[in-house]
Amino acid sequence: MRARDLAEDYPLVALTDDALTAAQLIAGQRRPGVVVVDADGKPVTVLPGSQVLRFLIPAYVQEDPSLARVFDERGGAEACVNKLAGRTVKELLPPKEKRYEIPMVSGDATVIECAATMARLHSPLVIVSDKDTIHGVVTTSHLLEVLLAPAGPQT
């Protein structure tokens, strides 16, 4: 089985898109992240949900999660929305020098090549692309479903 056979349509967001909308897309569709493209529609990176959380949660709380208890749940949610409002997707991303390479494979990539790329880049998904054509995305959950499927009837 090849990556193009596993690829599924997936939401794309532009660097200039609204950050709150991108976060709501991740949340509303229960996606592990979204693919970020430039003005020409070429993949730039993957914005995982964990990066959105990293942007939202103050650094001192990330360093000491016990401090999270001082936040009111309702007030915390409102603060998260306010922090994203008026921001762009680009502002959620780490600086270019701190980004991993784009998690991308060709349409001919094998299942194991997809898995190896995801593992190496700590990415919840891999973009399947040939030249300038994005075929779709393979997510970790879909890949694990394929890898863990029984090879046939067990005796």
Side-chain angles (χ1 to χ4, degrees):
M1 189 173 291
R2 300 295 176 188
R4 78 172 61 79
D5 302 322
L6 296 172
E8 46 191 275
D9 288 336
Y10 209 80
L12 305 176
V13 298
L15 288 165
T16 56
D17 284 352
D18 180 65
L20 181 57
T21 302
Q24 289 169 330
L25 182 64
I26 293 169
Q29 295 184 12
R30 295 188 181 212
R31 302 280 186 171
V34 290
V35 176
V36 180
V37 295
D38 64 16
D40 296 325
K42 293 181 182 169
V44 174
T45 191
V46 169
L47 174 63
S50 58
Q51 182 63 34
V52 176
L53 293 175
R54 187 178 183 96
F55 179 83
L56 292 174
I57 306 302
Y60 64 89
V61 176
Q62 291 179 44
E63 291 171 18
D64 185 359
S66 67
L67 295 174
R69 294 194 177 258
V70 302
F71 284 92
D72 169 45
E73 293 284 327
R74 181 169 286 162
E78 189 175 305
C80 289
V81 169
N82 290 339
K83 191 163 184 183
L84 288 172
R87 303 286 187 141
T88 64
V89 168
K90 184 177 182 177
E91 292 176 82
L92 300 181
L93 300 173
K96 281 185 181 180
E97 63 275 2
K98 291 191 176 186
R99 290 184 208 160
Y100 289 109
E101 66 184 81
I102 300 171
M104 192 170 354
V105 296
S106 75
D108 288 331
T110 66
V111 170
I112 299 301
E113 286 175 291
C114 292
T117 299
M118 292 168 138
R120 182 173 57 82
L121 298 177
H122 304 277
S123 180
L125 54 92
V126 64
I127 302 163
V128 181
S129 178
D130 287 310
K131 297 187 176 149
D132 291 335
T133 303
I134 298 175
H135 299 293
V137 165
V138 178
T139 62
T140 305
S141 57
H142 188 187
L143 195 61
L144 284 170
E145 179 182 42
V146 170
L147 288 170
L148 300 176
Q154 301 293 318
T155 57

